Amino acid sequence: MRKGNPVDGRRIHRFPGSVTDPAPLLVVPADTAVRRRDWRHVHNAVIPTDPLSDGDVQERAGRNRLEVAYRGTELVGCSTVRPATDLEPVTVIVRVLPELRGQGVGRALYAHCTRGLRGPVQTVVLASNEDGLAFALRRGFVEVDRYVLDGDSVEYVDLRRD
C-alpha cells in the first residue's frame, strides 16, 4: 500500500476518524501525477477487468472530477464524479480498496461526493463487487441495466437514485 504525504496545501476535505481508527479521512483532488497514480491504483484494484493506463487516467481527469482518499497517509480509496449531461444525470462512483471496506471510508467518500447535489444520481458497479452493490442498494439506488463490455466477461450494473 502506498503511503506518503497527500497534504501539500491544496484543497483537501477532512472527515473525522472512527473509534477503531482515529486517523481522519483526507479527500484530495487527483491533480498531480502521484495522486493520479494513486487513483489509478485503486481503480485497477477494484475493477481489475478494465485496467487503466496513466494516459487513460489523464484523459478522464480532463472531463471528470477525480479525487483520492487517504486515512492519514495511507491510500484507501478514490472517486469519480461525472457531470450531468442533457441525457444523463450526474454519475458518482466511489471505490474503496477491498481490504479496507466496512470501515466507513465509502460512506464518508460518498457523502463528500454527493454533498450539494440535487436531483437524480447514477452509479455503476462491477457485478462481482457484492460489497459495492450492497452499498449502492442501501443508499436507495435501483438497478436499471446490466451489460458486458466488448471483450470482457464480467457484467457492470448501472444503478440510479431519483
Side-chain angles (χ1 to χ4, degrees):
M1 188 105 23
R2 187 192 160 320
K3 293 185 185 241
N5 184 5
V7 182
D8 60 5
R10 298 173 196 262
R11 179 186 61 145
I12 64 168
H13 300 273
R14 295 180 190 272
F15 300 93
S18 67
V19 173
T20 57
D21 191 343
L25 184 68
L26 305 174
V27 180
V28 295
D31 59 358
T32 67
V34 169
R35 290 183 186 162
R36 284 190 295 275
R37 265 194 313 273
D38 285 352
W39 186 96
R40 178 178 170 239
H41 172 79
V42 175
H43 175 279
N44 290 349
V46 173
I47 308 173
T49 60
D50 187 26
L52 299 179
S53 68
D54 287 338
D56 294 331
V57 176
Q58 182 68 33
E59 186 272 329
R60 287 177 187 217
R63 55 188 168 87
N64 301 313
R65 187 178 87 210
L66 306 182
E67 294 179 309
V68 188
Y70 301 89
R71 185 185 297 131
T73 59
E74 178 184 18
L75 175 63
V76 296
C78 73
S79 64
T80 301
V81 178
R82 292 183 200 148
T85 67
D86 291 340
L87 302 174
E88 298 287 336
V90 65
T91 300
V92 174
I93 303 169
V94 170
R95 300 172 199 87
V96 176
L97 290 170
E99 64 274 15
L100 300 170
R101 292 181 183 154
Q103 300 176 25
V105 172
R107 185 172 51 250
L109 193 51
Y110 176 77
H112 164 75
C113 290
T114 57
R115 183 174 294 121
L117 291 182
R118 301 284 182 256
V121 176
Q122 63 186 15
T123 193
V124 60
V125 180
L126 198 61
S128 60
N129 180 354
E130 294 176 9
D131 294 332
L133 282 174
F135 181 89
L137 294 171
R138 283 192 307 270
R139 275 144 191 83
F141 284 87
V142 295
E143 183 176 329
V144 295
D145 191 23
R146 283 185 181 242
Y147 56 93
V148 177
L149 296 176
D150 290 339
D152 208 345
S153 60
V154 179
E155 285 184 315
Y156 287 83
V157 182
D158 283 343
L159 301 112
R160 184 176 170 133
R161 186 193 75 200
D162 289 320

